[in-house]
Amino acid sequence: MTAVSGALAAIDERLDKLVSMDIGGRGVEHLYKAARARQGTTLVGAAADALLSVPDGATVFVTTGSVSRAWISTEIGENDGPAGAAAVIRALAISKRVHCVLLAEATLLPGMKAILTSAGLTVLPYDQAQIASKDGTLAIASLLPFTTSDDEAPAAAKELLAKYKPSLFFSTERVGRAKDGVYYSMRAIDYGMGRSRIDILFDEAIRQGIPTVAVGDGGNEIGMGAVTEAVNAHVKFGETIAAVTSADVLVTAACSNWGCNAIAGAMAARRKDARLLHTPEMERQLLTRGVDIGLINSVQNIVDANVDGLALDTHVAFAEMVRAVVRPALS
């Protein structure tokens, strides 16, 4: 990892404290303690360093999105994840002309496109986006579906990695399979139907030595395999729902969107570029856009701009806190 100044290290510590403030009571403080011990440094800072280490103009795979009620419809998605992924993708596009390819279920991609566009990104087919990435004329992203078949996923994973050669794989709020092969919700409900097997793709990236960064808040997400014992001990239903897929850098957060927001802040501090910040105004805009496309607050089971049962204004206030923490590095 890149060495950081004392001022940046202090900012990273404050950002870690912010994202691990467990106001939802999920046990994330325990997950943070385990992840921090494993990482040996701040989680948010390590994630920002990994993301900013990719070459200018590189391709980065990103995944997020949860088919939350697939037994009803595979078009129903959750509002924790997409806004956070958009914040990181935007920061990478602006800072390094990185071409992010977002992978999710085909049924969720139209909503993902709407969120990315609301974040200021132009969503293009891969070949067109490559042109824009090379000449720096647009902040861009692309979208790809991934198979929902267990049998097809291993071969599809190898094929995608060989074709696109990503420099890094970033995941946020993406459910991974548990030790019994089932994809569980936080309530230990089988959420596997209609779900893209992207954790298998992530596992293949790890096997190939591609750097990986993951963000999660509940124990059932890609990356949480890094802190399995803590999930088992401190998360409700943890021994059942704990995801087995690990990551090189795991950011545990009270809300996954918060983790991404803080990572973008740490990136802005390192580049001394306020454009990379995920602002309170952008947070409100993206969560409101999520309502327009029908993303659900999965805790309260309704379509609104609250996330994980926490009010919209709480998320907007969190973004302002990140901006306040990072501001000294931008002056």
Side-chain angles (χ1 to χ4, degrees):
M1 287 297 175
T2 304
V4 298
S5 68
L8 280 179
I11 286 172
D12 292 345
E13 290 286 357
R14 293 171 191 132
L15 291 174
D16 265 28
K17 288 176 182 176
L18 274 179
V19 300
S20 59
M21 183 172 54
D22 193 11
I23 61 176
R26 289 184 170 187
V28 74
E29 290 155 339
H30 299 286
L31 304 187
Y32 171 77
K33 183 177 180 181
R36 178 65 184 261
R38 170 183 179 264
Q39 199 69 43
T41 185
T42 60
L43 306 183
V44 170
D49 286 338
L51 289 164
L52 289 173
S53 292
V54 302
D56 288 358
T59 296
V60 167
F61 275 6
V62 177
T63 188
T64 192
S66 178
V67 178
S68 291
R69 306 292 186 273
W71 62 89
I72 302 171
S73 170
T74 56
E75 295 182 1
I76 299 171
E78 179 186 345
N79 63 1
D80 188 18
V88 171
I89 292 170
R90 181 178 181 275
L92 281 169
I94 293 172
S95 64
K96 306 205 71 173
R97 296 183 292 102
V98 166
H99 178 186
C100 288
V101 178
L102 191 151
L103 296 113
E105 292 77 11
T107 52
L108 295 185
L109 291 182
M112 296 296 180
K113 181 176 181 179
I115 292 291
L116 293 176
T117 301
S118 292
L121 296 153
T122 301
V123 180
L124 295 169
Y126 182 82
D127 290 342
Q128 294 176 11
Q130 280 290 92
I131 297 171
S133 174
K134 285 182 171 60
D135 65 24
T137 54
L138 290 170
I140 49 86
S142 298
L143 302 171
L144 279 179
F146 192 71
T147 182
T148 60
S149 166
D150 288 321
D151 292 336
E152 295 174 3
K158 291 182 175 68
E159 181 181 344
L160 276 183
L161 294 175
K163 180 177 181 179
Y164 294 102
K165 297 179 172 57
S167 294
L168 183 142
F169 203 154
F170 178 82
S171 175
T172 181
E173 191 61 14
R174 181 78 208 183
V175 174
R177 70 197 181 285
K179 60 187 177 183
D180 61 1
V182 176
Y183 296 81
Y184 288 106
S185 73
M186 285 289 294
R187 299 163 183 159
I189 297 170
D190 182 349
Y191 265 21
M193 66 289 288
R195 183 175 299 280
S196 291
R197 275 32 184 173
I198 293 174
D199 57 323
I200 294 176
L201 175 58
F202 204 89
D203 286 336
E204 181 60 30
I206 292 172
R207 277 192 289 272
Q208 293 189 19
I210 297 169
T212 55
V213 178
V215 180
D217 60 23
N220 61 338
E221 304 95 349
I222 287 173
M224 288 291 178
V227 291
T228 300
E229 290 183 5
V231 174
N232 290 344
H234 300 290
V235 174
K236 188 176 183 180
F237 306 120
E239 292 189 1
T240 298
I241 71 172
V244 297
T245 298
S246 187
D248 295 323
V249 179
L250 170 65
V251 176
T252 56
C255 171
S256 291
N257 282 347
W258 291 12
C260 295
N261 188 334
I263 291 168
M267 293 170 70
R270 281 157 170 73
R271 301 286 284 199
K272 299 187 183 302
D273 189 345
R275 297 177 303 161
L276 311 189
L277 279 173
H278 183 64
T279 64
E281 296 80 13
M282 181 66 74
E283 179 74 353
R284 187 178 296 277
Q285 178 173 312
L286 294 186
L287 294 183
T288 302
R289 186 70 175 118
V291 174
D292 295 339
I293 62 177
L295 299 181
I296 66 168
N297 169 357
S298 62
V299 171
Q300 296 174 336
N301 301 320
I302 58 174
V303 176
D304 64 17
N306 303 331
V307 182
D308 283 350
L310 303 176
L312 170 62
D313 285 346
T314 302
H315 299 284
V316 173
F318 180 86
E320 180 56 46
M321 288 292 290
V322 170
R323 180 160 65 180
V325 167
V326 170
R327 185 176 287 121
L330 305 178
S331 57

